[in-house]
Amino acid sequence: MSNQPHPAETPVIAVIGGSGVYDIDGLEDRRWITVESPFGTPSDDIMEGVLDGQRVLFLPRHGRGHKTSPTALNYRANIDALKRLGATEILSLSAVGSLKEELPPGHFVLVDQFIDRTFAREKSFFGPGCVAHVSMAEPVCSRLGDALAAAAKAADIAFTRGGTYLAMEGPQFSTRAESNLYRSWDCSVIGMTNMPEAKLAREAELCYATVAMVTDFDCWHEDHDAVTVEAVIRVLQENAAKARDIVRRTVPLLARRQGLCHAGCHNALDVAVITAPDSRDPATVAMLDAVAGRVL
């Protein structure tokens, strides 16, 4: 199943909703679509709809009802399914813990870098039979970041532009020693889901940006042990409402794009595939029809 417009002609905005974000405000003509992926089963069906005349896709990252842990998520199937439905850019909404005093619960961070500490996940669409190496020097699309920043400012939401997201394996939270280590690395927030999601989005030639929504301070903070589940849930719900507002304001800004992304996201595979054409495994190439069909 593939419904891919050319990215230079038709923007299709995909939203991946993290903990607490299970809907999009103002989405009209909604329908849930089941997508089959050669990489397995996505987290859930994908909601398609229209927001201010713009086609939008929505995927609840953990599935409706939050059924799947970060380690068990099929990140490859999720990104592949969105690409098959024509997605050209992805807004990733993610609940995180704060690693800095100046980023309190309720604060949003538009991260621009990642450190990947995950170890139990499939991290690439490519592999034996077809090898590719994409650049991850700038893992977040600056154009999407500009739009998100403008939307957050217009919504009067407290946010910080820039910061490093430490992706841990989970599902357990960090030890205090780990938390302090990540602070010594100058990381801003910690979460469990944006890697390998961002890497796979780059391989699929999709623009990608993260809205990291702080729910609490990580365990390094002296007040951490006093935080109650009720308090975290309250912040989670407040963050979700603010995130939906940001999406509603960001989508019209992204709909104005003309031509390919100036940050190069839509051409990420131009010089990435290293396997010679006559050495590529046909079965592997067939699985890559949506992700890399443009260059294969």
Side-chain angles (χ1 to χ4, degrees):
M1 178 180 182
S2 181
N3 185 24
Q4 299 179 54
H6 191 284
E9 300 170 353
T10 312
V12 177
I13 316 303
V15 179
I16 300 179
S19 301
V21 184
Y22 306 111
D23 200 358
I24 296 179
D25 294 342
L27 198 62
E28 300 176 342
D29 300 327
R30 303 171 176 225
R31 64 177 182 133
W32 287 95
I33 303 173
T34 301
V35 183
E36 295 183 0
S37 168
F39 296 96
T41 304
S43 297
D44 205 329
D45 291 346
I46 296 172
M47 181 189 288
E48 178 187 56
V50 177
L51 183 62
D52 291 338
Q54 169 63 49
R55 184 171 174 234
V56 174
L57 305 173
F58 174 72
L59 174 65
R61 183 185 282 114
H62 299 276
R64 283 167 283 183
H66 203 110
K67 299 174 291 187
T68 310
S69 77
T71 291
L73 289 173
N74 191 334
Y75 295 91
R76 295 195 300 178
N78 286 349
I79 299 299
D80 178 77
L82 290 171
K83 182 70 180 280
R84 285 179 186 279
L85 286 182
T88 57
E89 20 254 301
I90 293 177
L91 304 179
S92 170
L93 309 177
S94 305
V96 298
S98 171
L99 293 169
K100 293 189 174 184
E101 191 79 50
E102 63 268 28
L103 304 175
H107 199 86
F108 282 19
V109 182
L110 306 182
V111 303
D112 57 2
Q113 286 292 329
F114 297 95
I115 293 177
D116 187 359
R117 296 281 289 174
T118 66
F119 54 81
R121 310 173 186 190
E122 293 286 351
K123 299 191 178 188
S124 178
F125 291 111
F126 298 90
C130 190
V131 178
H133 303 284
V134 296
S135 171
M136 290 298 297
E138 301 296 335
V140 169
C141 175
S142 58
R143 182 177 57 84
L144 266 59
D146 291 342
L148 287 166
K153 185 175 182 179
D156 196 26
I157 292 171
F159 76 98
T160 295
R161 179 79 186 270
T164 298
Y165 177 123
L166 189 291
M168 63 178 295
E169 184 59 56
Q172 302 86 359
F173 293 116
S174 340
T175 66
R176 186 171 288 107
E178 289 170 330
S179 190
N180 283 319
L181 174 65
Y182 304 148
R183 277 171 49 78
S184 76
W185 292 350
D186 197 33
C187 296
S188 299
V189 295
I190 183 167
M192 301 180 187
T193 59
N194 277 201
M195 282 292 171
E197 192 175 86
K199 291 178 176 177
L200 295 167
R202 178 58 52 84
E203 287 189 344
E205 298 190 312
L206 300 174
C207 300
Y208 182 91
T210 292
V211 179
M213 308 174 293
V214 177
T215 59
D216 63 339
F217 287 110
D218 202 42
C219 63
W220 64 272
H221 198 278
E222 60 183 8
D223 295 333
H224 178 269
D225 291 342
V227 176
T228 64
V229 172
E230 290 78 11
V232 171
I233 291 176
R234 183 179 68 252
V235 174
L236 198 67
Q237 292 171 338
E238 293 170 353
N239 284 351
K242 291 188 287 188
R244 292 193 296 269
D245 191 10
I246 285 181
V247 169
R248 182 178 60 81
R249 294 171 184 271
T250 301
V251 165
L253 301 179
L254 298 180
R256 302 171 189 170
R257 174 173 60 79
Q258 295 182 345
L260 296 174
C261 175
H262 64 69
C265 306
H266 295 143
N267 300 100
L269 293 178
D270 277 358
V271 294
V273 181
I274 197 169
T275 306
D278 58 357
S279 296
R280 295 170 186 167
D281 176 62
T284 300
V285 170
M287 293 176 67
L288 294 165
D289 62 332
V291 169
R294 185 186 70 83
V295 296
L296 297 178

